[in-house]
Amino acid sequence: MHISTLSQSLNLQTSINKMRSEFTTLQQQLSSGVISDSYGGLGTDKNVVLSLQSQMRNLGSYNDTINLTSLRVKSMADSLTRVSDISSGLRLTGATTEFDMVSGTQNSGQLSAGMNLDELVNLLNLNVEDRYLFAGSATQKKPVELPDAMLNGDASHAGLTQFVDERRQADMGANGLGRLDVTSPAADTVTVGEQTGIFGFKMTGVSSSLANATVTGPTGTPASMSVQFGASQPSGGDTISMDFDLPDGTTTRVTLTATTDDPPAEGEFTIGASAADTATNFQAALSASLKTEAATSLRAASSVQAANEFFDFDGSHPPQRVDGPPFDTATGLRDATSDDTVFWYKGDLTLEPGANMTAVIDDDRIIKYGAQANQTSLRDTVKAAALLSAVTYDKADPHAEQAYKDLTSRVSTITAPSGAETVEGVVTQLGLTASTLQETLDRNDQMQGLASGVLGDKMGIDEYEVGAKLTTLRTQLQASYQVTSMLSQMSLVNFL
């Protein structure tokens, strides 16, 4: 019988220790699910694993940015969809509301516009994740002034209502003729002259079919024109028309027709017994027609221009105010300041609207997105609602209803889709951004899935394979322990 030597015993012990170490490693793998808890245990796969893990972290960071950006973009698009609906409603105000003075100085359409203004301010002051989304880069500033302050200002700051009133005085003039003077320098002559300054009617042309009358002008600066009646009288039905530019860039025409009726109808003048009589009648009729036109189309155009001067400003161009008082004789505008005027928009004025926010969504890929409350289509919607809310009318004014109709037709123009930008277009652009974000997110998810699969192959274990190895190793260890036990019990006495 062979007796184990010391060398054999030591070799067996070394083998057992190695199996125990391998057994422990297999147990750790089975419990953790990975090959090794250190990169050193991965061998040649270490660099691949490190690269994949870095890629996974980057993708996770990009996806966090995409998800937050998607939330912002969706919130903005939802808000602007409602802004678009309000814009469409304001465009139809004149056609859908009667001139029913339900509040004493305003009708139901204007009261509805006031509620629209409240909603618009809330929509454009949208705050998500502690960021005002329509303020441009000034994300911590509420971009749009509250409606009451916007319209009414305070004791030391003018709001839109005051802008409208000051501009109305400047455009109407002290005599209510739209800053025109209608005079008679001679018994048979009537002259119409503009007053100095930028306000009121601006004559652009005269056309006449008056027989036996000499019409000159308009000429000069300020412009003037005259009508001189001759010894013979005009014929009934003869007309004279005067064309004017209005403050908001629109135009109007005042036409008078000669008649033998006395008294004449509105828009007519009575042919007199002499040139002097006809001139007197013409002067009275022209003054009345100009007052009517001033109280209607000029007033509406003046209100719109006041709103333009209040709302349309940027970083280099402040709001513009009538340089007064007095306002009815003012000749020009001045820069408004934050000391005397409410600035309706308080967000960023330096960046390009629509591209004021950025997000890194992939390696070397930055997406620009956003919208600002002061960009044209959004600003004009606020302007239209505020303008309708700011203007008031006197029930006793016979021209109030026509003035309201002239105003609502201009509001329809303000909110009408035109040019390169509309509210709907801004919503569409945000939708395209949302689509890009989702596509990138889907692609990143696919890449994460692929990277995760490769990491699983490189770092993960086959539980069945490891289990089988453990079982085999356990059997081998048990056998080794038995051999060791038998060897430890052998001695010369047992051998003999």
Side-chain angles (χ1 to χ4, degrees):
M1 182 175 185
H2 177 71
I3 300 175
S4 176
T5 66
L6 177 60
S7 176
Q8 289 173 320
S9 178
L10 291 174
N11 287 337
L12 181 59
Q13 186 61 46
T14 299
S15 178
I16 289 173
N17 288 339
K18 183 178 180 181
M19 285 189 290
R20 288 178 62 181
S21 176
E22 186 178 352
F23 188 83
T24 299
T25 298
L26 290 171
Q27 283 183 315
Q28 290 175 342
Q29 289 178 351
L30 192 62
S31 63
S32 66
V34 296
I35 293 174
S36 173
D37 59 0
S38 68
Y39 293 114
L42 297 176
T44 58
D45 290 332
K46 178 181 71 174
N47 290 336
V48 175
V49 168
L50 287 172
S51 176
L52 288 172
Q53 287 181 333
S54 176
Q55 183 182 12
M56 292 278 286
R57 285 192 296 271
N58 289 339
L59 289 172
S61 177
Y62 292 142
N63 283 355
D64 289 343
T65 299
I66 290 172
N67 286 327
L68 179 57
T69 304
S70 295
L71 173 63
R72 292 170 180 164
V73 169
K74 183 180 185 304
S75 299
M76 296 176 82
D78 288 345
S79 292
L80 294 188
T81 297
R82 177 55 187 153
V83 172
S84 177
D85 292 340
I86 292 173
S87 179
S88 298
L90 290 169
R91 192 156 53 245
L92 298 174
T93 297
T96 57
T97 58
E98 298 294 331
F99 189 69
D100 50 345
M101 304 289 281
V102 296
S103 71
T105 58
Q106 292 186 319
N107 64 20
S108 58
Q110 293 177 278
L111 297 180
S112 178
M115 291 185 284
N116 288 154
L117 180 62
D118 286 341
E119 187 176 0
L120 285 168
V121 170
N122 285 331
L123 290 168
L124 295 177
N125 281 337
L126 175 68
N127 186 300
V128 174
E129 297 287 334
D130 196 32
R131 171 181 287 207
Y132 289 103
L133 298 187
F134 293 104
S137 63
T139 58
Q140 300 306 302
K141 290 184 179 180
K142 186 179 292 186
V144 181
E145 183 59 81
L146 296 180
D148 182 65
M150 185 191 303
L151 294 177
N152 302 315
D154 57 35
S156 57
H157 295 83
L160 176 61
T161 300
Q162 186 171 336
F163 265 60
V164 169
D165 183 62
E166 291 174 358
R167 181 81 203 207
R168 178 190 60 78
Q169 293 181 60
D171 283 319
M172 298 288 283
N175 59 8
L177 291 176
R179 301 299 292 269
L180 298 176
D181 293 315
V182 182
T183 59
S184 180
D188 60 354
T189 303
V190 176
T191 299
V192 181
E194 296 176 4
Q195 294 178 6
T196 301
I198 67 170
F199 301 108
F201 291 119
K202 297 301 173 185
M203 286 186 286
T204 59
V206 178
S207 57
S208 172
S209 65
L210 294 177
N212 304 309
T214 302
V215 178
T216 58
T219 58
T221 305
S224 64
M225 60 82 64
S226 65
V227 179
Q228 183 178 22
F229 293 94
S232 300
Q233 299 299 308
S235 302
D238 289 355
T239 62
I240 182 172
S241 297
M242 301 176 62
D243 295 321
F244 299 97
D245 283 341
L246 298 175
D248 65 344
T250 58
T251 61
T252 192
R253 169 173 287 187
V254 173
T255 299
L256 289 180
T257 302
T259 182
T260 56
D261 295 339
D262 189 13
E266 184 176 352
E268 295 180 340
F269 68 96
T270 300
I271 301 168
S274 65
D277 291 340
T278 301
T280 298
N281 295 338
F282 177 77
Q283 181 179 2
L286 180 58
S287 296
S289 291
L290 288 173
K291 279 192 174 183
T292 297
E293 200 64 28
T296 52
S297 66
L298 177 60
R299 181 185 176 186
S302 176
S303 298
V304 170
Q305 187 57 24
N308 292 339
E309 289 156 0
F310 182 82
F311 283 97
D312 301 357
F313 66 87
D314 55 34
S316 60
H317 175 73
Q320 299 293 292
R321 296 185 61 174
V322 178
D323 191 7
F327 300 108
D328 57 4
T329 57
T331 59
L333 300 170
R334 66 172 178 85
D335 291 345
T337 71
S338 57
D339 292 331
D340 62 24
T341 300
V342 173
F343 281 42
W344 77 275
Y345 176 75
K346 298 174 290 184
D348 176 67
L349 289 168
T350 62
L351 297 178
E352 176 188 356
N356 48 278
M357 296 185 191
T358 60
V360 181
I361 62 173
D362 207 343
D363 291 342
D364 301 320
R365 187 177 185 193
I366 300 176
I367 190 170
K368 293 185 177 182
Y369 68 99
Q372 290 180 201
N374 68 323
Q375 66 188 90
T376 304
S377 59
L378 310 186
R379 178 199 67 205
D380 285 349
T381 303
V382 176
K383 182 197 298 184
L387 178 56
L388 285 172
S389 303
V391 177
T392 57
Y393 297 96
D394 183 350
K395 286 183 178 180
D397 181 0
H399 305 302
E401 183 171 359
Q402 184 58 50
Y404 173 73
K405 290 180 179 179
D406 287 345
L407 180 65
T408 54
S409 69
R410 286 168 167 79
V411 167
S412 296
T413 301
I414 292 173
T415 55
S418 62
E421 182 191 292
T422 63
V423 181
E424 294 83 356
V426 178
V427 174
T428 298
Q429 187 60 47
L430 289 171
L432 293 174
T433 300
S435 178
T436 299
L437 291 169
Q438 187 60 52
E439 290 171 358
T440 305
L441 183 65
D442 292 343
R443 184 172 62 254
N444 287 355
D445 286 343
Q446 290 175 356
M447 293 178 66
Q448 280 187 314
L450 292 173
S452 179
V454 175
L455 281 174
D457 292 341
K458 298 295 183 182
M459 297 183 64
I461 63 166
D462 185 330
E463 294 182 354
Y464 295 104
E465 181 181 349
V466 172
K469 286 181 178 180
L470 276 171
T471 300
T472 301
L473 199 56
R474 185 184 297 112
T475 301
Q476 291 174 344
L477 277 169
Q478 287 173 347
S480 298
Y481 286 142
Q482 288 175 351
V483 171
T484 302
S485 177
M486 290 172 60
L487 288 175
S488 66
Q489 294 173 7
M490 291 191 70
S491 66
L492 182 58
V493 174
N494 290 336
F495 174 73
L496 291 175

